[in-house]
Amino acid sequence: MRAPVREGGALARAAREDALYVADEDHGVVRVVPLPLDPARPGAGVPAPGRPAQVLALGGGGGHEARVLATVRDPGLLLIFRPDASAGLVEVGRVPLPADAWGIAVTPDEKTAIVTSAWTHKVSAVDLEAGRARWTVDVAREPRGVAVLPDGSAAYVSHLVGADLTRIDDLGGAPRVRRVALPASPLRAPSGERLAASLGYALALSEDGRRLFAARHALGAMGHAAWFGAATVDVLITGRDEPLAPQHHGNLPVLRSAFAEQVITPESVITLPGASVTPVTQPRAAVYRKRARTLLVAGEGDDLVLEVDATAVDPTLAIVKSYAVGGRYDPHIRVAGTCGAPTGLALSADEATAWVFCRSTGDVAALRLHDPAAGAALAGAGATGAPGATPAAEGPAALVHLADDPLGPEVAKGRRLFYNALDGTVSGNLGCAGCHPDGRDDGYVWREATFSTADGEHANFVGRPENIPEVAKRKGFPRRTPMLAGNVGAAGPYGWHGESEDLVGRLQTGMGLHRWGGLPIDHTPAGLAARATYLAMFLRRGLVTPPRGEGAPDQRAKRGREIFHSDEAKCSRCHVPASDYTDRTAYPMPKRPPLPGYDDDPRPEYKTPSLRFVGGRPPYLHDGRAGTLAELIEQNADWMGKTSHLSPEDRAALVAFLETL
């Protein structure tokens, strides 16, 4: 039987296995879905005071009654429910938390919940018996997934941006916070290099807590035509906070290991995977399957659930089975198939069934998992370390549709296009949400490189040009991923240089930039325009802006506002407050030497970017050369406006004001 689940997700199973709980963020409800799944019984939703992000069902052991916990993003809350036979869920507690409360996990005694707050970059401990927050600490940008060790001694936190994890010790006392290095996909990194990561939504632990699994996206990982990198499951040995996989130097093997100290031999050789760019796209949720010693990973972009060998050094090179929960689009944008953008996973007590919540279509699917006792052979890396092809995917055994899109059928099409990496016209094997998770950004500086093919030259955003022979001699121009949520309401122009007249035009241009080899030869202008129109509708109506700070600004921020609007600093001349702090005009900027690793951009003019939510989206400038707002103001001198005359106190005041926008 499966041990009690202590990590939350968008989907959770009731302890009595008579229902599933769904954090339905887009409809603003916590749903109760009866088991077994029956299309005639989609269940009911309990309205939440904001958008719920994750749910977790507690079994009621140790003298506690059964409870269901749910995080709410804005206002930041932890809701505590009691399961009820007639009402489904009855709220019994509400704990205020920093805004954008998202991930949740509980200690083994079920007395303390650890909650991450994404936009406000906080982690809090909630005393579930007293119904109050015990402590809150500041951490790195966009904390999301959280897992607590089986002995309750520490919690680990993943981040939507960056490869490092956060570890918090002494959860019951004075918390101690430190960063833990976990390089992304080291066996698929260029020799001797450490890769950045994004999409760190989920963490999972092995049954004994000795291995921590981080499902995410490795930016710049090598593979066949991997212009954007590859999905990865990185493994941390918690006893010493070290990655299981070594840094890649030359050729290294992929082996299974029962926690041996030395799992790699320099004489062994592997071939990097070439059958596909990545075994799953845009990892969103993960759950450990004790019975099979495997990990299930939900691919938001390709509507797959991938099962990988959790004993492998690199589990994504050791594929056990693949399960399909959705379908592709037809050329006329009629949605084909079901269950798009799998966002949540839950296992049955006997681990024979997995349930999947699909966000973009509002469905829950049931998957029959392979039986490890039946002797199913691994299709991925075995004892000899030879990687193989992904097994053929099996479809769902049952499916229940919970609700239609709350914004109507046209926005629904845009919503599914935003997450989906399978549409042959929109996507080059990475969906919009792959770089713009939650409509925010991956914090990464991509490279815009031009390469030649038989049908002409193409511009392409790539993670690492040196991985791709066609563009290896070109470093590419730096292109920092922009934030979309709340920043695409204007008529235009769009693009770093203001080169696209309107949003629909920019999206059509992007369909060529965000893929390998330009637009497909069989695309039609009408289909391209229709897709861009639906996407624009979703970006403007379906994306939710981050929470804004409440309360009046302090004296330092007020002083910063005065500086921002002053004739001496000239900030507000281009960053016009009335139009989201931008005049949307491209200005020629004084030349600066390019950063190492990039080509010099021949176009010196850059469109004034919006400053909305600027405090939460480092690094800054088109090339990401400023890691913080303080660093940006310190380096600026008189490059943008005039800040060289400001005292250190006034510079700090200007930063404080910018953080309120």
Side-chain angles (χ1 to χ4, degrees), residues 316-392:
T316 44
L317 298 181
I319 301 167
V320 175
K321 202 169 185 62
S322 183
Y323 307 89
V325 295
R328 296 174 179 264
Y329 292 89
D330 73 10
H332 304 289
I333 323 209
R334 293 192 299 269
V335 175
T338 51
C339 218
T343 306
L345 286 173
L347 282 175
S348 60
D350 62 4
E351 298 189 339
T353 300
W355 294 284
V356 188
F357 169 58
C358 295
R359 179 175 182 178
S360 71
T361 54
D363 301 310
V364 170
L367 301 174
R368 293 193 185 96
L369 301 179
H370 91 281
D371 183 0
L378 292 178
T384 61
T390 305

Side-chain angles (χ1 to χ4, degrees), residues 95-142:
V95 182
L97 291 170
D100 210 15
W102 200 87
I104 184 172
V106 295
T107 54
D109 59 9
E110 296 189 358
K111 293 182 178 180
T112 303
I114 308 298
V115 180
T116 63
S117 292
W119 185 252
T120 51
H121 47 86
K122 307 290 186 185
V123 177
S124 304
V126 175
D127 185 330
L128 294 176
E129 296 180 331
R132 61 176 179 82
R134 184 181 299 132
W135 51 254
T136 295
V137 295
D138 193 71
V139 297
R141 183 184 173 189
E142 290 277 2

Side-chain angles (χ1 to χ4, degrees), residues 178-270:
R178 60 186 173 90
R179 300 291 294 272
V180 175
L182 185 63
S185 194
L187 293 179
R188 286 177 286 179
S191 180
E193 297 194 27
R194 291 173 176 254
L195 298 179
S198 62
L199 308 185
Y201 288 108
L203 292 175
L205 282 161
S206 60
E207 70 273 22
D208 56 10
R210 295 173 65 189
R211 287 191 180 193
L212 178 72
F213 304 97
R216 50 200 185 161
H217 184 77
L219 291 152
M222 295 187 295
H224 178 67
W227 62 271
F228 55 83
T232 181
V233 173
D234 297 311
V235 185
L236 184 80
I237 303 302
T238 59
R240 54 182 187 268
D241 280 347
E242 293 179 357
L244 176 62
Q247 191 173 6
H248 173 217
H249 290 283
N251 293 318
L252 289 173
V254 181
L255 302 175
R256 260 184 268 172
S257 159
F259 299 98
E261 287 293 322
Q262 182 64 36
V263 297
I264 301 296
T265 60
E267 295 79 16
S268 302
V269 177
I270 65 165

Side-chain angles (χ1 to χ4, degrees), residues 450-459 470 512 515-523:
T450 302
F451 61 96
S452 299
T453 65
D455 58 342
E457 286 200 337
H458 299 282
E470 292 90 336
R515 67 189 322 111
W516 187 247
L519 286 165
I521 58 175
D522 58 351
H523 84 277

Side-chain angles (χ1 to χ4, degrees), residues 304-644:
L304 289 176
V305 173
L306 188 71
E307 187 169 9
V308 296
D309 182 2
T311 69
V313 175
D314 183 339
T316 44
L317 298 181
I319 301 167
V320 175
K321 202 169 185 62
S322 183
Y323 307 89
V325 295
R328 296 174 179 264
Y329 292 89
D330 73 10
H332 304 289
I333 323 209
R334 293 192 299 269
V335 175
T338 51
C339 218
T343 306
L345 286 173
L347 282 175
S348 60
D350 62 4
E351 298 189 339
T353 300
W355 294 284
V356 188
F357 169 58
C358 295
R359 179 175 182 178
S360 71
T361 54
D363 301 310
V364 170
L367 301 174
R368 293 193 185 96
L369 301 179
H370 91 281
D371 183 0
L378 292 178
T384 61
T390 305
E394 294 186 5
L399 185 138
V400 170
H401 181 61
L402 304 180
D404 292 336
D405 196 286
L407 298 177
E410 291 183 324
V411 174
K413 293 176 181 179
R415 187 187 304 275
R416 190 158 188 194
L417 285 168
F418 179 78
Y419 292 106
N420 195 276
L422 299 176
D423 182 271
T425 298
V426 170
S427 170
N429 296 317
L430 189 69
C432 308
C435 297
H436 303 278
D438 269 358
R440 298 177 184 179
D441 65 85
D442 58 11
Y444 194 62
V445 180
W446 294 81
R447 291 159 171 83
E448 184 178 332
T450 302
F451 61 96
S452 299
T453 65
D455 58 342
E457 286 200 337
H458 299 282
N460 200 146
F461 290 155
V462 295
R464 298 185 62 89
E466 57 267 44
N467 290 355
I468 304 168
E470 292 90 336
V471 295
K473 295 180 181 179
R474 306 179 188 184
K475 300 174 183 177
F477 310 133
R479 296 289 182 260
R480 162 75 165 79
T481 304
M483 180 176 171
L484 299 179
N487 284 324
V488 293
Y494 286 91
W496 275 108
H497 299 286
E499 59 267 43
S500 298
E501 181 179 356
D502 54 29
L503 182 58
V504 170
R506 185 60 192 168
L507 291 169
Q508 292 184 70
T509 299
M511 292 176 195
L513 288 168
H514 297 78
R515 67 189 322 111
W516 187 247
L519 286 165
I521 58 175
D522 58 351
H523 84 277
T524 64
L528 194 69
R531 286 163 166 82
T533 299
Y534 291 134
L535 266 172
M537 293 175 67
F538 170 70
L539 297 183
R540 286 174 167 154
R541 297 178 57 196
L543 293 180
V544 179
T545 59
R548 304 294 293 268
E550 296 181 357
D554 59 22
Q555 290 302 314
R556 187 170 64 165
K558 289 179 180 178
R559 171 57 183 156
R561 182 171 58 191
E562 294 174 359
I563 296 168
F564 184 86
H565 289 279
S566 69
D567 291 336
E568 292 79 17
K570 305 184 189 313
C571 303
S572 60
R573 290 192 180 182
C574 299
H575 295 285
V576 179
S579 55
D580 290 335
Y581 292 92
T582 172
D583 61 3
R584 308 199 71 82
T585 300
Y587 294 99
M589 303 296 293
K591 292 285 289 184
R592 283 182 169 182
L595 292 177
Y598 298 96
D599 290 328
D600 191 9
D601 195 335
R603 294 173 292 181
E605 70 282 352
Y606 290 94
K607 178 174 62 68
T608 306
S610 170
L611 297 182
R612 288 196 74 194
F613 312 109
V614 69
R617 47 186 174 97
Y620 299 103
L621 301 176
H622 69 283
D623 55 11
R625 70 173 63 208
T628 64
L629 284 174
E631 186 179 342
L632 173 65
I633 301 302
E634 185 67 29
Q635 293 177 356
N636 180 65
D638 295 334
W639 192 64
M640 299 181 296
K642 293 186 178 297
T643 55
S644 59

